[in-house]
Amino acid sequence: MEIRQLMTFRTVAFTLNFTRAAEALNYVPSNVTMQMQSLEEELGTQLIDRLGKQIVLTDDGKKFLLHAEKVLNSVDEAHLAMKENEELTGTLTISANEIPGSYRLPAVLRSFRARYPGIRVIFRPLANEQLKQSLYEGKTDIVFMLDESFGSTNLMIEPLVEEPFLFLVAPDYPLVKQTYLRPEDFQGEPFLLTEKGCPYRTLFNRTIEQQGIHESMTNLEFSSAEMIKQCAMAGIGIAFLPGIAVKAELERGELISLPWKMPNLQVVTQMLWHKDKWLSPAIKAFLEITRDKITSK
């Protein structure tokens, strides 16, 4: 088994396309096919299923990818050890859902780029349900999630900062006149929410039902926080968003925070990576800058 075979397999596993894998490795497609066949023969198992022009990893392929990643990471570590006194280089892949990606990471990325210009950072926004999976598949080095705290046997999870959520309305919205709000004051009011499946939407539904408001709720669902903000500023309803996403609008008086908080709602911006992931100097540097820029806020 050769290192180049493992590199070819990893590239095929990520691209799921022989032609794109060949282009990435600067090989001809037949070379990729030959190396994959040789690797499968040596292992005595099929690593990929060829479904016409489509290819997918088999169960054995998914298992072997984790081992191939460990070997290749060790090779990278050996190369980097020979360059300890040189400027850090390499590629780092980051993913996040909307709120951390839009409001927490820009300052981190700016600081990281200024300190480590030789490291290429790839940011890939992903849907909530894809974030953890991208770590399991080795497609992402670090992901950021806005969710309640949770544990995992396979992932390292580092809480960074708690994100308080607010109920927000336009300055002329009728509820603004009230200095004290009770759950019954929200009966029949339209709520502007993220789509089902979003972690804090699930928490919202669970908590609001405990308050007995759900029977007469009107929900308008949106795919982005920006759309929710714009509709709230237009007076369409009550937005439910983390304070970090509306800081500027609150300062300009375009949105007003209502005097009511969701009980037992604790949502945290969290940083995750696979527990078996080799933490290269580039990854360690990014983790440290993230902690400095976010947890110090």
Side-chain angles (χ1 to χ4, degrees), residues 116-270:
Y116 301 105
I119 299 176
R120 180 188 179 209
V121 179
I122 300 173
F123 176 72
R124 290 178 178 151
L126 291 175
N128 293 288
E129 63 274 11
Q130 297 175 315
L131 287 170
K132 286 185 280 188
Q133 189 61 33
S134 72
L135 293 176
Y136 291 128
E137 294 176 354
K139 295 180 179 179
T140 308
D141 296 314
I142 307 169
V143 304
F144 294 83
M145 296 181 64
L146 189 64
D147 201 347
E148 61 182 336
S149 296
F150 64 94
S152 172
T153 57
N154 296 313
L155 300 176
M156 300 298 294
I157 304 169
E158 183 173 336
L160 295 173
V161 61
E162 186 172 347
E163 304 286 5
F165 272 69
L166 306 172
F167 288 92
L168 303 142
V169 294
D172 58 352
Y173 202 82
L175 289 180
V176 172
K177 299 176 182 178
Q178 298 182 217
T179 56
Y180 176 76
L181 291 171
R182 301 162 299 174
E184 50 265 33
D185 293 322
F186 293 97
Q187 300 287 0
E189 293 287 347
F191 283 91
L192 313 178
L193 305 169
T194 50
E195 297 172 310
K196 290 182 178 178
C198 173
Y200 55 87
R201 168 64 187 279
T202 302
L203 294 172
F204 172 87
N205 287 345
R206 185 180 70 197
T207 308
I208 208 77
E209 286 182 8
Q210 294 173 354
Q211 298 295 310
I213 303 175
H214 64 288
E215 294 183 357
S216 59
M217 275 182 59
T218 300
N219 290 340
L220 300 178
E221 295 185 358
F222 301 86
S223 60
S224 75
E226 185 60 33
M227 294 175 67
I228 292 175
K229 286 195 291 186
Q230 293 298 325
C231 288
M233 287 188 288
I236 294 174
I238 304 171
F240 178 68
L241 289 171
I244 186 65
V246 293
K247 182 179 179 181
E249 288 79 8
L250 288 171
E251 290 175 351
R252 294 194 297 263
E254 297 170 343
L255 286 173
I256 302 295
S257 176
L258 294 176
W260 198 72
K261 294 183 178 181
M262 293 280 280
N264 304 318
L265 182 68
Q266 290 186 313
V267 183
V268 181
T269 289
Q270 302 166 71

Side-chain angles (χ1 to χ4, degrees), residues 7-35:
M7 294 179 64
T8 297
F9 169 64
R10 180 175 65 177
T11 306
V12 169
F14 288 172
T15 62
L16 295 178
N17 184 286
F18 277 8
T19 301
R20 288 200 296 269
E23 291 174 352
L25 295 166
N26 198 26
Y27 291 160
V28 295
S30 59
N31 196 336
V32 172
T33 302
M34 181 180 65
Q35 289 190 41

Side-chain angles (χ1 to χ4, degrees), residues 43-108:
L43 293 171
T45 188
Q46 191 168 326
L47 300 176
I48 59 174
D49 275 328
R50 299 159 178 82
L51 310 175
K53 294 184 178 180
Q54 288 289 112
I55 62 174
V56 295
L57 289 180
T58 63
D59 287 340
D60 281 346
K62 293 176 182 177
K63 293 177 184 177
F64 185 69
L65 179 60
L66 295 176
H67 294 289
E69 280 282 0
K70 290 180 182 179
V71 173
L72 293 172
N73 285 338
S74 294
V75 172
D76 289 341
E77 184 175 9
H79 283 300
L80 286 171
M82 300 299 102
K83 301 179 180 180
E84 286 182 348
N85 297 324
E86 296 181 12
E87 179 184 354
L88 285 183
T89 60
T91 300
L92 193 62
T93 304
I94 311 297
S95 291
N97 51 15
E98 183 191 8
I99 298 299
S102 298
Y103 302 101
R104 289 296 185 189
L105 284 182
V108 175

